[in-house]
Amino acid sequence: MTKKIVALILSPRELGNCEILVKEVCRNIPEEHKLELIRLTGKDIKPCKGCYACLAKGVCHLDDDFIAVAEAMASADAIIIASPTYFFGANGMLKVFLDRCMQLFAAKFSVRGKPVINLVTAGIKGEAGYSEMMLNSFSLILGLKLRASEVFYGALPGEVFFENDAQLQRAAALGKELFSDKERVFADWACPMCGSDVIQLLGRGKVQCAVCHNYGKIDKNGEELKLEIELNPDNIFFTKEQAARHGLWLQNMKERFMQLRRKLAGLTAPYKDQGRWL
Ligand SMILES: Cc1cc2nc3c(=O)[nH]c(=O)nc-3n(C[C@H](O)[C@H](O)[C@H](O)COP(=O)(O)O)c2cc1C
């Protein structure tokens, strides 16, 4: 059966590096498929207002393209996300979109379990900052199954493949990964759980991943430093059960708010008239 791939393109540039990378990956997918592309920066996605109405009532009051994009993702057999690096991080629209995903805790559809490949572009070698981490944590929070994530370099639109056969081959190879069962394996120095390479040193060899909140230790294994991280049972996104538990906690917030709202209003009121809003 023809598989459906939905690609989120985070670059506003038409036929830019993100777009041609996604298309090159798809040209090399052995399985029969159709590709649907969403240029997220061209969509009307409003920032989350933090009102939690989506969890209480199952409806977000913001009227825009969010649901159409989320439903397209939910209807896909697999997802590809491609973002340019903008000042060391992914395009900000990815975060705007992710924040709105709070409503998916109460939605009737889900994107959970879908395979995903994350692609990052950056103009200067070594300057991709935390972009890949941003895409990978986006995927983790949504419960997507990360098959691969890679950074490609090139500043001008199309430059990722300009006189760069190695990057063309790497993109082509990714095509074989999307529908394979292979899980993404991260480098030894990255968190094996989420791929983050921001690791906090807690002393006495104890470490904590700054992104996914899992703890572990760092061992000197021969000459190499080896990072071992264990799943923190209090984690909120790793497994379906943890995400469901977190969803319940969020939904119970309404009750907590109703109980505490008078006391909270008393606490915040004295701050009301301070300063001048521009
Ligand atoms: C606002 C802005 C900020 C950027 N910041 C970085 C950066 O921090 N590091 C980097 O390597 N490239 C940076 N770039 C370059 C882009 O990541 C690069 O051109 C990329 O290939 C764009 O992908 P696209 O063609 O899909 O838009 C920046 C570009 C723009 C427009």
Side-chain angles (χ1 to χ4, degrees):
M1 216 173 69
T2 306
K3 298 198 186 278
K4 180 161 137 187
I5 298 167
V6 168
L8 296 186
I9 309 276
L10 274 300
S11 168
R13 294 208 288 199
E14 282 177 29
L15 282 178
N17 292 315
C18 288
E19 184 177 332
I20 64 169
L21 268 166
V22 164
K23 291 179 176 174
E24 184 60 31
V25 170
C26 288
R27 283 180 183 191
N28 291 280
I29 292 176
E31 292 81 7
E32 194 186 318
H33 68 272
K34 62 177 179 179
L35 170 64
E36 292 183 354
L37 299 141
I38 298 172
R39 194 178 305 284
L40 214 51
T41 51
K43 297 288 177 195
D44 175 23
I45 310 280
K46 298 190 169 77
C48 174
K49 291 171 78 174
C51 68
Y52 294 103
C54 58
L55 296 179
K57 298 189 185 125
V59 196
C60 173
H61 296 305
L62 296 173
D63 181 18
D64 60 11
D65 295 330
F66 175 84
I67 284 291
V69 174
E71 280 180 346
M73 289 171 75
S75 73
D77 295 296
I79 292 168
I80 303 179
I81 305 171
S83 174
T85 298
Y86 281 180
F87 297 120
F88 299 153
N91 179 295
M93 189 54 116
L94 186 77
K95 186 68 169 72
V96 173
F97 183 81
L98 177 60
D99 296 350
R100 294 288 304 286
C101 288
M102 176 68 91
Q103 62 193 284
L104 298 188
F105 279 105
K108 294 197 170 63
F109 60 88
S110 168
V111 299
R112 237 190 138 74
K114 296 188 189 292
V116 65
I117 287 181
N118 291 334
L119 307 169
V120 166
T121 63
I124 304 168
K125 208 158 185 165
E127 300 291 342
Y130 54 91
S131 311
E132 189 181 0
M133 240 162 69
M134 250 178 100
L135 267 64
N136 289 350
S137 58
F138 174 97
S139 305
L140 170 72
I141 289 165
L142 294 192
L144 302 173
K145 274 201 200 119
L146 186 60
R147 292 290 177 238
S149 68
E150 287 206 27
V151 181
F152 292 81
Y153 293 99
L156 307 173
E159 205 178 356
V160 276
F161 296 149
F162 181 67
E163 295 179 348
N164 198 331
D165 225 33
Q167 293 203 137
L168 190 69
Q169 303 294 334
R170 272 172 53 210
L174 288 176
K176 318 270 181 311
E177 313 255 322
L178 190 58
F179 291 110
S180 76
D181 289 334
K182 224 179 88 197
E183 297 269 332
R184 167 79 158 91
V185 180
F186 301 104
D188 271 359
W189 36 262
C191 170
M193 297 282 178
C194 75
S196 145
D197 46 19
V198 181
I199 306 294
Q200 293 167 340
L201 303 174
L202 305 178
R204 294 171 191 271
K206 216 178 158 201
V207 296
Q208 183 181 24
C209 171
V211 173
C212 74
H213 198 199
N214 287 309
Y215 292 92
K217 56 186 185 340
I218 197 157
D219 268 342
K220 207 160 191 206
N221 178 12
E223 282 308 293
E224 300 288 321
L225 285 178
K226 190 158 168 41
L227 200 58
E228 286 166 16
I229 304 259
E230 283 177 6
L231 184 69
N232 178 352
D234 296 334
N235 214 293
I236 54 176
F237 293 121
F238 265 89
T239 63
K240 202 173 172 180
E241 292 69 34
Q242 287 174 336
R245 196 178 61 203
H246 183 56
L248 275 181
W249 181 85
L250 287 168
Q251 276 164 337
N252 286 338
M253 280 216 311
K254 189 187 169 194
E255 237 165 71
R256 262 183 67 221
F257 180 63
M258 296 313 268
Q259 280 167 8
L260 293 178
R261 68 183 167 155
R262 282 210 173 76
K263 285 184 183 156
L264 291 171
L267 188 147
T268 54
Y271 295 95
K272 190 166 185 298
D273 297 323
Q274 191 176 336
R276 185 170 72 94
W277 292 98
L278 299 181

